[in-house]
Amino acid sequence: MKISIFGLGYVGVVSAACLGSDGHSVVGVDPNTSKVDMVNAGKAPIIEEGLGGLLESGVQAGFISATSDAEAAVLCTNVSFICVGTPSQSNGSLDLTYVRRVCEEIGKAIKLKQEFHVVVARSTMLPGSMKDTVLPILEKTSGKIAGKDFGVCINPEFLREGTAIEDYRNPPKTVIGEMDERSGDLLGELYSELNAPLVRTDLATAEMVKYTDNIWHALKVGFANEIGNVCKHAGIDGHRVMEIFCADEKLNLSSAYLKPGFAFGGSCLPKDIRAISYKAKSMDVELPIIDSILPSNQKQIERGLDMILSTGNKKISILGFSFKAGTDDLRESPLVEVIERLIGKGYDLRLYDRNVNLARLTGANKEYIHNVIPHISQLMVDNLEEVLEHGDTIVIGNRATEFKQALAMTSNNQSIIDLVRISEETSNKDKYNGICW
């Protein structure tokens, strides 16, 4: 494949070297003539293990070259990668000056081509940047229509400095955000030999994935450091604690708990966060990340409540209000707080939860239900059909299996507030609203 790569910085030059070593014809494009001259001489303009050897062999074999002539580069290739920098501005937003400039250059060159050309962004950009910046500039300067006359994709990179070539060869995943299937097919061919999952999705999702990855990495570092700081002051080896923590690949290092939804609750998580926070304060150790967990959780409760209030309906039915499906535990259930606040605002509620109904009669929560939240107990009904008939707004509070079927029993006149994504496929009902989807 013939590929032009705009920007011979870290991502661009590593991509050029790896693609060239795979036998593709690659031309790097950069206004910095020093970088162009170094690449043409087979020398790496950055320090990266193994990069110099790949560039040297690629140039000698005739697979890699560089130029400052953007138009010529586009005209002699069928795919253009955008790998320019997107630095932060003082307010935290991104400076897309280089992206705009390169898009203008590519668009003007595409205007001169008859062949279908694919533009692929590898630069890290906020969700919406492709739609609001890249596409309009390419269409305006080329006079053509994206997705029809030329292709557009975003292909976020997951390269770490110092291990970039290894990361390119052995990625955890390859993500292609595509505007049109033809372009996604062409780009997918470049990665067909890689032993990694290939994920094809829309442009905005691919943009967001890169940020999600990086923020998660930063959060892990900060979390480990805060645990280590508590351990240090308590006379504990923080490395040993985290080694044991990381040995759990079922819950700790896994996809467990990483599905967006409603707030957490129960007898363990809130209590233990408060306890460690208290312990840290007693040792004069600040924990900004850990101390922010419960306030963040509270914001999610408020977000759910606001969604219910926004329907404008006074008659509310709630399906499931234990803190998770399969339990009768109401301790620190976020749904209980929502229910109490709705009661305080004068809403007409009916509540249904098969497990809590049983607990009200015989379970360990019997005393809690009757003595601590008797006002809630009086609103509970034993029949699912009855609670569905009552509400103009139906709130799905946990993932009990029966609630998936209950969703199909609602009418199009009822508003549905889904706090748990009861179905992996979002509902096609007109008034369905999920909390994070």
Side-chain angles (χ1 to χ4, degrees), residues 5 7-16 46 82-83 122-123 157 159:
I5 295 181
L8 291 175
Y10 191 85
V11 174
V13 75
V14 169
S15 299
I46 62 169
I82 299 173
C83 298
R122 298 213 84 193
S123 300
E157 49 82 20
L159 307 178

Side-chain angles (χ1 to χ4, degrees), residues 191-267:
Y191 305 115
S192 60
E193 300 300 318
L194 295 180
N195 184 24
L198 176 62
V199 181
R200 294 172 62 171
T201 185
D202 60 90
L203 298 176
T205 298
E207 288 172 314
M208 189 63 195
V209 164
K210 176 60 183 291
Y211 282 94
T212 305
D213 277 33
N214 282 352
I215 293 169
W216 176 237
H217 299 159
L219 179 60
K220 287 192 290 185
V221 172
F223 171 76
N225 287 342
E226 289 196 359
I227 293 296
N229 292 338
V230 173
C231 290
K232 172 73 172 178
H233 283 76
I236 302 167
D237 185 345
H239 273 252
R240 182 58 181 148
V241 169
M242 291 307 295
E243 285 171 5
I244 297 171
F245 170 87
C246 292
D248 181 353
E249 297 183 359
K250 180 179 180 180
L251 298 179
N252 293 344
L253 302 186
S254 70
S255 60
Y257 306 114
L258 288 176
K259 289 188 177 181
F262 198 44
F264 62 77
S267 61

